[in-house]
Amino acid sequence: SALVCALPWVVELELAPVIMISNDDIIINGVSVARVADLSRDDYVTIPALEEKLREQKKETEELHALANDGTAFKGVVNIQGHKDVPFRIIKRVMFSCQGGGYGNINFAVLRGSGPNGEKTASNP
């Protein structure tokens, strides 16, 4: 028989979109949706292509929960990863896009640079 262990601190993780912000691109789930250089040339508050991708992701997630009939409510969790040198105006536009796409529960991971052995270090403030 299989050994079953119930740990009270184990939490089921929700799959959440990951948005990576580099000095060159905005990437969601591995797909580039905007070039940072182009974002300074328009007057939008959001990034339309990112907002649209997030709306699609939200719809798919809600449909999966409905099909599973598991009673799980959509939590709107999104993870943003960016280098510390990315200008705040870009991060602000990503955040507005997340809100517009239905993702208001934002987690951050900031890439600070290389550690003593060349490894990348990150933090989640």
Side-chain angles (χ1 to χ4, degrees):
S1 74
L3 176 64
V4 177
C5 180
L7 301 175
W9 60 85
V10 174
V11 177
E12 184 177 336
L13 295 176
E14 178 181 340
L15 289 177
V18 176
I19 299 170
M20 295 172 38
I21 309 170
S22 73
N23 289 325
D24 300 317
D25 294 292
I26 309 293
I27 300 165
I28 179 169
N29 296 334
V31 178
S32 178
V33 291
R35 297 202 35 86
V36 171
D38 296 336
L39 297 178
S40 60
R41 298 184 195 137
D42 61 43
D43 295 327
Y44 293 109
V45 175
T46 64
I47 303 166
L50 175 59
E51 191 172 350
E52 182 60 32
K53 279 280 190 197
L54 288 166
R55 283 189 186 130
E56 291 171 8
Q57 179 89 34
K58 179 182 178 191
K59 183 179 177 188
E60 289 172 11
T61 302
E62 288 175 330
E63 287 173 354
L64 283 173
H65 285 304
L67 283 174
N69 197 22
D70 59 6
T72 304
F74 176 75
K75 295 178 183 136
V77 176
V78 64
N79 298 312
I80 298 175
Q81 299 175 356
H83 192 276
K84 68 177 183 67
D85 294 334
V86 172
F88 180 70
R89 63 183 168 73
I90 301 298
I91 294 171
K92 183 171 69 171
R93 289 185 68 174
V94 169
M95 291 172 62
F96 275 115
S97 300
C98 290
Q99 286 282 72
Y103 287 83
N105 192 350
I106 299 171
N107 295 316
F108 286 97
V110 179
L111 187 61
R112 291 187 173 151
S114 295
N117 298 321
E119 75 275 5
K120 300 296 183 186
T121 57
S123 68
N124 191 359

